[in-house]
Structures are given as structure tokens and as C-alpha cells.
């Protein structure tokens, strides 16, 4: 994609230089619009527009909603999100632009400041360092993860830290963290009980939903320090008595299933 980027830049630069040469030929050499357009390979309408905007910046296509610098920031955000394992989707790009325009109170031709598919396609054409790809879900990939994959992941993270001049983090165990969630069933499996001899089926009435559970997130650093845990309850709204029972420095959350999403 680097070669494509430079090829695109070279073609655009040649096109703009041809426009400048055509305008100079019109103004200084006395060529007609038809002759200048034919000589430099520029359409007469483009040449006419340029003549009316001699002091303006020449660009390809209609005016963009965002400035060149703002679009470059968007491209950087997309690339950095990908590096961290959270690739953005088209709707993420569109919503981020809408939220920015809503806050900025900028006048745009977009309905409700929401970019459409046409804007998205034009944005992608203007920024050749990014493209539409099909992602692979982590849970699917983890089913066949190998030692090579794990080493490759650490190698990529190390290179990212080096590129960002952050590799000193790796020398400080207090800044290296690992976390994982653990499920706790609210209706534990039955243990041994006392029952009549010879009884074939031993049933025990469950005091809760057998599928009910909660999740606790535990996080440690490489120096052995433990962060305060976070508990995920299976409530739409956590009862106040449960909130009061949890230590104040713990994190609490909720989901319909009790699983961390």
C-alpha cells in the first residue's frame, strides 16, 4: 500500500502541475482555452473553474466536510485502533464524524451531520493507507492458537512499543499487567449427601437458577500487586443492598447473563 500511496501522490502532483501550466499558457502565452486544455490534457470545465479561483487551492473532486488535517487525524485513529486490536468499522468512522460536527456546530450538506456511503467511499479513496478488510474474531482464532502465534503477538507488541518510544515500560514490572475473568456459579454443583441405601435417584432441589452466575475480573502486575477486582452481576439494575455489601474500592457492573461482555 506504500507503493500505491506514492503512485497516487505522484499522479495527483502531475495533474496539479498540468493545471498550473495550462493557466500560465492562457495568461502569458495567449493560448485559447480549447488549445490549452488539449495541450495539457485538462478538461475545459476544470480550466474554467481554475481561472475563476486563481488564488484558491486546487483540489480533486468536491469540497470535503473535514479539513485535510482533520481527515489525517481520522486516518491515524483508524490505524492506531487496528494496532491495538480494535479495528474500526465504517459506522464507527461515520459516527465519529457526526459527533465531531455536532459539537463543532459546522454547517455541512450532510443530513443531520451523518456521512453516507458516498462520503465513506470518497474518504477511503483519499486515504490509501487504509482499506476495507474482513476481520477475524478473536474467539475463533483462539481455538487454534499456537506457540508461534503467541510469540508473534509479543513480537508485534514489542515492536509497537519501540516505534512509539515506550519500550522502557518493559523494564518496569509495576507497569506490566495481566487480567482474566472467572465465573462463579450461584447454584454450585451438588456434593455428596446422606440418603437411604438402595435409592437409585438422588435429587436435590436447587435454591437458585442453575444457569445463574456472576463474573469476577482479576488483574495483577508482574511485580505481584493485585488490582481491586470487578464483579459483574446478572441484573438489569443491581439492588442497593448488594451495592452496599461490595467493598467501596471494588468495581461493580451488570449484564443480563452475568458474563463480562
Amino acid at each position: 500500500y506504500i507503493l500505491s500511496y506514492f503512485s497516487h501522490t505522484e499522479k495527483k502532483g502531475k495533474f496539479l502541475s498540468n493545471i498550473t501550466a495550462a493557466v500560465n499558457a492562457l495568461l502569458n502565452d495567449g493560448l485559447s482555452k480549447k488549445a490549452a486544455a488539449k495541450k495539457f490534457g485538462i478538461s475545459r470545465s476544470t480550466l474554467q473553474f481554475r481561472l475563476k479561483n486563481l488564488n484558491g487551492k486546487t483540489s480533486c473532486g468536491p469540497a470535503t466536510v473535514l479539513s485535510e488535517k482533520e481527515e489525517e487525524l481520522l486516518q491515524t485513529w483508524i490505524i492506531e485502533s487496528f494496532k491495538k486490536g480494535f479495528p474500526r468499522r465504517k459506522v464507527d468512522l461515520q459516527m465519529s464524524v457526526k459527533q465531531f460536527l455536532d459539537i463543532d456546530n459546522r454547517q455541512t450538506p450532510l443530513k443531520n451531520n451523518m456521512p453516507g456511503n458516498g462520503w465513506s467511499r470518497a474518504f477511503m479513496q483519499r486515504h490509501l493507507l487504509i482499506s476495507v478488510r474482513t476481520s477475524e474474531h478473536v474467539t475463533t482464532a483462539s481455538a487454534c492458537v499456537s506457540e508461534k502465534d503467541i510469540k508473534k503477538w509479543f513480537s508485534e507488541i514489542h515492536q509497537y512499543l519501540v516505534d512509539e518510544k515506550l519500550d522502557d515500560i518493559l523494564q518496569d514490572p509495576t507497569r506490566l499487567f495481566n487480567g482474566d475473568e472467572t465465573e462463579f456459579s450461584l447454584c454450585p454443583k451438588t456434593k455428596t449427601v446422606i440418603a437411604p441405601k438402595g435409592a437409585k435417584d438422588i435429587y436435590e432441589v436447587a435454591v437458585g437458577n442453575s444457569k445463574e452466575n456472576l463474573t469476577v475480573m482479576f488483574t495483577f502486575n508482574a511485580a505481584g500487586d493485585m488490582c481491586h477486582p470487578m464483579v459483574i452481576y446478572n441484573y438489569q439494575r443491581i439492588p442497593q443492598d448488594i451495592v452496599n455489601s461490595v467493598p467501596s474500592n471494588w468495581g461493580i457492573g451488570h449484564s443480563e447473563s452475568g458474563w463480562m461482555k
Side-chain angles (χ1 to χ4, degrees), residues 42-232:
I42 305 296
S43 68
R44 293 180 65 182
S45 60
T46 299
L47 194 55
Q48 181 65 31
F49 174 80
R50 182 58 175 154
L51 287 170
K52 291 181 179 179
N53 299 271
L54 291 175
N55 297 322
K57 182 179 179 181
T58 303
S59 62
C60 302
T64 59
V65 175
L66 303 177
S67 68
E68 184 176 348
K69 183 177 180 181
E70 289 165 347
E71 288 204 350
E72 287 296 328
L73 285 173
L74 265 180
Q75 179 178 247
T76 300
W77 169 63
I78 292 170
I79 294 173
E80 293 301 316
S81 296
F82 161 76
K83 288 181 179 179
K84 294 175 174 64
F86 297 95
R88 301 292 92 191
R89 293 173 171 79
K90 182 176 72 173
V91 67
D92 299 326
L93 173 64
Q94 293 170 319
M95 285 302 300
S96 67
V97 173
K98 172 178 169 51
Q99 291 168 2
F100 170 74
L101 295 176
D102 287 344
I103 295 173
D104 193 55
N105 291 323
R106 186 177 305 183
Q107 294 296 322
T108 72
L110 302 177
K111 184 177 181 180
N112 297 323
N113 285 335
M114 185 65 172
N117 293 332
W119 182 91
S120 300
R121 286 193 297 269
F123 177 85
M124 297 298 295
Q125 291 171 357
R126 289 192 294 271
H127 301 278
L128 298 182
L129 293 181
I130 54 179
S131 62
V132 178
R133 304 289 298 275
T134 301
S135 63
E136 182 180 5
H137 204 279
V138 172
T139 53
T140 302
S142 63
C144 55
V145 67
S146 66
E147 181 179 353
K148 181 180 179 181
D149 295 325
I150 295 173
K151 289 182 176 179
K152 180 175 180 290
W153 186 88
F154 277 101
S155 177
E156 290 175 349
I157 291 295
H158 179 264
Q159 187 58 52
Y160 171 78
L161 293 174
V162 170
D163 293 342
E164 298 295 323
K165 295 182 174 57
L166 297 172
D167 51 314
D168 60 302
I169 292 174
L170 300 177
Q171 308 304 318
D172 186 352
T174 65
R175 302 181 69 186
L176 302 177
F177 289 84
N178 188 25
D180 197 7
E181 67 269 17
T182 300
E183 174 201 1
F184 291 90
S185 174
L186 299 183
C187 186
K189 294 181 180 180
T190 57
K191 298 181 180 180
T192 56
V193 296
I194 301 174
K197 286 183 178 181
K200 294 183 179 179
D201 301 309
I202 310 298
Y203 296 110
E204 181 178 4
V205 177
V207 295
N209 188 334
S210 60
K211 295 183 179 180
E212 204 171 8
N213 62 75
L214 56 81
T215 306
V216 181
M217 178 73 181
F218 296 101
T219 308
F220 299 82
N221 66 17
D225 302 317
M226 178 181 177
C227 297
H228 300 303
M230 180 174 186
V231 185
I232 308 297

